[in-house]
Amino acid sequence: MDIWPIGVFASVDAGLGVKWDVIKELGVPTIQLHAPHPSKRDQANAEALKKQLDEMNVRCTAVFGGFEGESYADIPTVAETIGLVPPATRPSRLAEMFQISDFAKWLGCDTVALHLGFIPHDTKDPHYEPIVAATCKLCDYCKSNGQFLHLETGQETAEGLLEFIAAVGADNLKINFDPANMILYGTGEPIEALRSLSHHVRSVHCKDGTWSKKPGETWGAEVPLGEGDVNMRKYLETLHEIGYTGPLTIEREIPEDPLRQKQEIGAAIELLSQLRSEFWESE
Ligand code: MG
């Protein structure tokens, strides 16, 4: 079935995704790939990975940018270290994103994605405009490679993201919707957010989490799919309702325990396959 092909978040040598051999074992038709280390982002390496994916019958649906020095240790550290938001590293990271866009093109992938970081909530904040400008440049670059740029949700409210997308004004700027992040960061009810962002959602993560006792100050907890506060049935029902037919990419970030990661992803694949057959059975 071409609707809602199941996928996993994967990595070759960097990032928290499942490893290459696990993709094969799980037998999923799609992945999103965390960009490899800078030294591996050349055309030859991209083409070698593409060949491996073709042999496994796996399609890469997005390449995610990530950078040295990023840390998700706690919410204040995220604000200081993630994405294109910290001014000191913005120029070098923007250059890296151009490199990642080229790498994705060689891989035959039309989508580049990233956590942009904590965009100031106040659009009059002096830091706001330079982030908009950097995102514009990145969108232009991706466009020259025939690509979309997807922003991972989490650190902004739906309203804040809509304002930001309007400020950038690029038709290839879209959203990778992650319902668990909205809960983990305490930025809003994910189902409601999905509805209000629906026109901009071009890829999604299937991840679950529980609310923190102090939303926005401390993390909630990431938990196996179906065991958190997202409500997977409602999530998929809403994706169906807004007409989303793209991949369902499972993200489970417990690289410290690969065996448990694989088991939990296996269970997540079952859950999503079951729900998918319920929602699309009669169509
Ligand atoms: Mg995510």
Side-chain angles (χ1 to χ4, degrees):
M1 162 150 51
D2 288 338
I3 291 172
W4 290 359
I6 291 173
V8 291
F9 194 86
S11 58
V12 196
D13 59 4
L16 301 174
V18 299
K19 301 299 169 211
W20 221 237
D21 52 336
V22 180
I23 300 169
K24 210 178 216 172
E25 282 181 59
L26 292 168
V28 287
T30 72
I31 59 162
Q32 286 186 349
L33 181 67
H34 189 282
H37 283 305
S39 64
K40 300 273 183 59
R41 292 177 197 152
D42 57 279
Q43 187 164 0
N45 194 45
E47 286 171 359
L49 287 177
K50 186 178 187 314
K51 190 162 172 272
Q52 290 171 3
L53 288 172
D54 287 347
E55 282 165 8
M56 294 192 281
N57 253 324
V58 173
R59 182 164 56 94
C60 178
T61 60
V63 177
F64 259 77
F67 311 102
E68 284 288 325
E70 291 189 317
S71 167
Y72 290 89
D74 51 39
I75 291 180
T77 310
V78 168
E80 277 166 32
T81 67
I82 299 297
L84 297 181
V85 168
T89 49
R90 191 179 301 136
S92 63
R93 288 181 174 181
L94 188 59
E96 272 199 63
M97 285 308 297
F98 292 173
Q99 193 189 28
I100 289 167
S101 167
D102 289 342
F103 180 84
K105 181 183 68 177
W106 294 324
L107 204 57
C109 181
D110 73 353
T111 303
V112 173
L114 86 160
H115 271 272
L116 204 56
F118 267 105
I119 304 164
H121 294 296
D122 178 3
T123 57
K124 301 271 188 300
D125 186 302
H127 293 293
Y128 193 83
E129 195 44 46
I131 301 166
V132 169
T135 309
C136 276
K137 280 188 197 159
L138 182 52
C139 284
D140 285 348
Y141 195 90
C142 289
K143 195 161 194 172
S144 73
N145 275 336
Q147 293 161 331
F148 291 89
L149 178 70
H150 291 193
L151 302 180
E152 169 90 349
T153 58
Q155 291 115 356
E156 277 66 47
T157 59
E159 199 185 32
L161 265 175
L162 286 171
E163 269 177 352
F164 185 79
I165 288 170
V168 175
D171 59 5
N172 62 332
L173 183 61
K174 300 288 174 187
I175 284 172
N176 181 82
F177 190 83
D178 185 324
N181 281 354
M182 312 276 319
I183 290 175
L184 296 172
Y185 287 89
T187 42
E189 279 292 344
I191 303 297
E192 204 180 298
L194 177 58
R195 286 206 181 100
S196 56
L197 295 170
S198 61
H199 296 303
H200 304 278
V201 173
R202 202 174 158 270
S203 62
V204 302
H205 283 166
C206 292
K207 188 167 92 182
D208 217 337
T210 55
W211 290 95
S212 154
K213 288 201 176 69
K214 292 182 187 168
E217 287 177 51
T218 59
W219 291 115
E222 194 195 320
V223 298
L225 206 71
E227 295 179 20
D229 293 330
V230 169
N231 187 342
M232 275 303 140
R233 178 177 295 275
K234 191 76 192 160
Y235 179 47
L236 267 63
E237 187 184 297
T238 311
L239 287 173
H240 184 264
E241 184 186 299
I242 67 169
Y244 177 82
T245 56
L248 302 178
T249 305
I250 299 162
E251 188 181 35
R252 183 69 177 117
E253 296 175 335
I254 43 168
E256 70 284 359
D257 193 344
L259 186 64
R260 200 176 115 217
Q261 186 185 43
K262 195 167 78 183
Q263 285 165 346
E264 288 186 7
I265 290 174
I269 292 172
E270 261 182 58
L271 174 66
L272 293 177
S273 304
Q274 174 59 37
L275 289 168
R276 181 181 58 181
S277 67
E278 287 177 32
F279 286 111
W280 294 99
E281 193 180 28
S282 57
E283 305 191 28

